[in-house]
Amino acid sequence: MHLASPAKQVTFSALISSLAQNISTPLVNFQVNQPLAVPKSVPKCEVELVHHLFANSYYQPAITVYTPPTSCGPIGSWSAISLNWTATSNGTQYDRLAGVTLSNVEIWRTSTSEPTPGGIIWTVLKDVTKYIPLFAEPGTLIVDLNNVIDPKSGLTGEYDVRLTATFHQSDWLHPKAPRADLIFPLSTLSGDQSNVFAVPPAGNTTVVLPRNAVTAIVEIQATGNGQEEFWYFNVPDEYLPYIPPETTYGKGSFREVRVLVDGLVAGVAFPYPVLFTGAFVPTVWRPIVAYGAYDAPTYNVDLTPFIPLLTDGSPHTVTLDAISDEPDHALNPNWYLSGNIKVSLDESNKPTTGNITRYEVPSFRAQHTITPIGQDSYNMTVDVSQSVFIEATIVTGSGARKHITWKQTFHFNNVQSYTNNASASFVTQRINGNSISTHNLLPVLLDNVDFPLSIDFEYVADETGSGWVATFDQQYNRNYLPSPWEVSTTIRSSQHANGTYIRYPNNGFNRTANGTTFNEFHYVDGKLNSYSRLVDVTNNTVTKDRQGGTLTWDFWPFVGRPWSPLADLLDGLIGFEAVRLPNRNENKH
């Protein structure tokens, strides 16, 4: 195992090496999430897709040729497909964004845990049944994980990743899963690199849909990166002069992700702020990561109102972009966006016709305010509302007439407080939204979201050292019917966490950190599957874990690891944590 220690710790190197050899069990990290709701009684087979060591792997993804398995029943007839991502690492490393792309469609966006000197391991399971049209055809599979190994700067953690797929056969009780007829990528279409757009600039894909397409649903992957990772801590450009220049970035705290068809906005998403495992105090996110860190949420837009346009036999441009509420809508670099269009076809080969009968997509309403609250102290508020209302009539080639109504309403509020010349900063944010699409009054897409976030961050110092303390409260509340081919789900996830990160000025154990996390999670879906979990952690140790619901028999049981003073000593004190903060000085890799 690798042990990352700054050069000034050389006095302790022999002792540390001896102690580290006694640790044989890595810390098991996990995201509190529902177990897979897939058939368990049917025959199934597992296929290894990728096993790869990501060391110096920038722009060097793992690439393999995917071939549909023939030992899991007729190709494409599966009742479900699930993926298993298991990764290990040890040493010191930043959190890294990763993605799985099949046939130019990103089917999973994830990120890594930050390793410990004693090692870390995590396993994530994902239901990818909605991508059966991709898995039923040969294609190129790309796993990208941009990592850096640089012992001089203390970055020694390599990521050993194994990705497998499990194909569940169908039978009379568990029939062939519903799915779209075709899936079109919205991506760079690269054959040997990540397929995500780095926005800005906007990402454009030229598409030609079949003339008999009748339904089209866009799925969006969206993640803030670099200067946009902590976009909710960015302040409007007009308010930057009120805080020290290295405090944070500009362009404001509001972000809207958009889908456009030939320049017309077709739908929007207000993205959920995922906290990755290097955020603020890395030890807070061990062994429980924040919701979405291992399986980023996606967002769906009904493109069906544009079907009469998209089925005219000509190429059209579908755009993914992200904008701020600055006057020019400009962003910092950057957002990683990709997506796909799931399409169903009419049984006839005749073209679909119709037209958009109502199109109301006004510019969002935004308001900024700043209020002094003391000497060198300010409250800054950003408040934004948005709505989308599109109606269309389409007539299928077989003569069916459909009335399509697509509505979205969103509200965003972000309040940031900076006190004592930004030595303390607080953000309170809430995103509420409702999206509904009906086809002849029948709902085909529903999305009700409520994403509260609160972070208190404060620098501290005394004669022994300096650092910061942070407290996090975050919720992911969502009622979601993504498409007519998927089951509806209701998720209520709440997480309260706090931690301290202190740097000492002496040559001994120069850094220490701790973390406490309380998680409550509830899940129910349209098939009456249910799951709940209440789990608490203090300094890598699970102190409470209660589970219930119909899915309780199927979960990853090896959470955390037995507490030991040696393990906590090494993980809390040795080397350094690869910290990311929403300011300009700490994020260098």
Side-chain angles (χ1 to χ4, degrees), residues 352-406:
T352 302
T353 60
N355 61 291
I356 294 176
T357 58
R358 185 174 179 180
Y359 181 86
E360 297 178 5
V361 187
S363 299
F364 49 67
R365 299 177 298 278
Q367 182 177 6
H368 296 179
T369 59
I370 185 168
T371 306
I373 55 174
Q375 182 68 30
D376 296 321
S377 301
Y378 302 92
N379 280 346
M380 305 176 186
T381 301
V382 174
D383 193 270
V384 182
S385 297
Q386 175 64 298
S387 63
V388 172
F389 190 3
I390 306 174
E391 287 186 319
T393 297
I394 68 172
V395 180
T396 69
S398 56
R401 188 178 184 89
K402 291 186 179 181
H403 178 69
I404 314 298
T405 301
W406 169 233

Side-chain angles (χ1 to χ4, degrees), residues 15 47 49 159 161 202 223 341 352-353 377 409 429 434 445 453 461 509 525 533 581:
L15 171 62
V47 177
L49 301 176
Y159 289 105
V161 176
T223 304
I341 310 175
T352 302
T353 60
S377 301
T409 57
Q429 177 175 289
N434 288 280
L445 192 162
L453 171 68
F509 293 115
D525 65 32
R533 188 170 187 180
L581 296 175

Side-chain angles (χ1 to χ4, degrees), residues 327-357:
D328 59 358
H329 297 327
L331 301 177
N332 305 297
N334 49 23
W335 276 79
Y336 286 150
L337 304 181
S338 77
N340 64 79
I341 310 175
K342 299 181 182 68
V343 174
S344 65
L345 305 176
D346 186 60
E347 294 180 354
S348 76
N349 290 321
K350 298 178 182 179
T352 302
T353 60
N355 61 291
I356 294 176
T357 58

Side-chain angles (χ1 to χ4, degrees), residues 31-34 272 291-292 295 297 448-451 475-480 488-494 520-525 531:
Q31 178 180 310
V32 179
N33 209 347
Q34 74 275 10
Y272 174 76
Y291 189 85
D295 189 3
N448 175 269
V449 302
D450 180 24
F451 300 151
Q475 295 181 38
Y476 178 93
N477 303 310
R478 194 174 193 183
N479 302 320
Y480 197 23
S488 62
T489 61
T490 297
I491 291 177
R492 301 284 182 267
S493 174
S494 64
E520 186 172 357
F521 180 88
H522 300 279
Y523 168 92
V524 65
D525 65 32
Y531 180 75

Side-chain angles (χ1 to χ4, degrees), residues 8 25 48 93 114 129 205 240:
K8 58 185 175 182
T25 304
E48 183 176 272
Q93 190 53 260
E114 290 201 352
T129 305
T205 306
L240 280 173

Side-chain angles (χ1 to χ4, degrees), residues 181-505:
D181 293 310
L182 299 169
I183 300 179
F184 293 84
L186 299 176
S187 70
T188 64
L189 305 180
S190 172
D192 60 2
Q193 293 294 325
S194 167
N195 273 236
V196 303
F197 296 113
V199 176
N204 296 317
T205 306
T206 300
V207 299
V208 179
L209 293 191
R211 301 294 304 275
N212 62 332
V214 292
T215 305
I217 305 291
V218 171
E219 180 184 27
I220 310 165
Q221 304 267 7
T223 304
N225 175 67
Q227 297 176 20
E228 291 286 298
E229 178 176 349
F230 303 98
W231 81 90
Y232 43 85
F233 255 115
N234 293 0
V235 301
D237 287 350
E238 61 187 308
Y239 298 157
L240 280 173
Y242 291 89
I243 56 179
E246 301 301 318
T247 303
T248 188
Y249 298 98
K251 307 306 177 191
S253 57
F254 169 74
R255 298 294 178 265
E256 177 180 270
V257 177
R258 307 188 300 176
V259 181
L260 300 93
V261 177
D262 293 339
L264 289 176
V265 175
V268 303
F270 285 18
Y272 174 76
V274 175
L275 295 170
F276 297 104
T277 60
F280 300 91
V281 182
T283 47
V284 164
W285 316 116
R286 298 178 188 146
I288 304 178
V289 303
Y291 189 85
Y294 285 163
D295 189 3
T298 62
Y299 313 92
N300 281 17
V301 165
D302 191 0
L303 218 59
T304 307
F306 291 84
I307 282 286
L309 172 66
L310 293 169
T311 56
D312 65 359
S314 301
H316 294 273
T317 301
V318 178
T319 301
L320 299 178
D321 76 353
I323 60 175
S324 71
D325 68 335
E326 292 291 300
D328 59 358
H329 297 327
L331 301 177
N332 305 297
N334 49 23
W335 276 79
Y336 286 150
L337 304 181
S338 77
N340 64 79
I341 310 175
K342 299 181 182 68
V343 174
S344 65
L345 305 176
D346 186 60
E347 294 180 354
S348 76
N349 290 321
K350 298 178 182 179
T352 302
T353 60
N355 61 291
I356 294 176
T357 58
R358 185 174 179 180
Y359 181 86
E360 297 178 5
V361 187
S363 299
F364 49 67
R365 299 177 298 278
Q367 182 177 6
H368 296 179
T369 59
I370 185 168
T371 306
I373 55 174
Q375 182 68 30
D376 296 321
S377 301
Y378 302 92
N379 280 346
M380 305 176 186
T381 301
V382 174
D383 193 270
V384 182
S385 297
Q386 175 64 298
S387 63
V388 172
F389 190 3
I390 306 174
E391 287 186 319
T393 297
I394 68 172
V395 180
T396 69
S398 56
R401 188 178 184 89
K402 291 186 179 181
H403 178 69
I404 314 298
T405 301
W406 169 233
K407 298 179 182 179
Q408 292 187 287
T409 57
F410 286 97
H411 181 246
F412 171 93
N413 182 266
N414 177 286
V415 180
Q416 296 182 47
S417 301
Y418 292 92
T419 61
N420 299 323
N421 208 30
S423 64
S425 54
F426 314 92
V427 62
T428 301
Q429 177 175 289
R430 191 155 202 159
I431 296 171
N432 298 103
N434 288 280
S435 301
I436 178 170
S437 184
T438 60
H439 295 189
N440 286 345
L441 302 180
L442 296 177
V444 299
L445 192 162
L446 298 169
D447 196 3
N448 175 269
V449 302
D450 180 24
F451 300 151
L453 171 68
S454 176
I455 300 176
D456 295 353
F457 179 82
E458 184 173 5
Y459 287 98
V460 294
D462 58 24
E463 66 278 2
T464 63
S466 64
W468 52 84
V469 296
T471 301
F472 312 87
D473 280 289
Q474 188 173 30
Q475 295 181 38
Y476 178 93
N477 303 310
R478 194 174 193 183
N479 302 320
Y480 197 23
L481 173 63
S483 74
W485 313 286
E486 298 172 69
V487 67
S488 62
T489 61
T490 297
I491 291 177
R492 301 284 182 267
S493 174
S494 64
Q495 191 167 24
H496 173 82
N498 60 78
T500 304
Y501 184 93
I502 302 296
R503 295 179 281 201
Y504 297 114

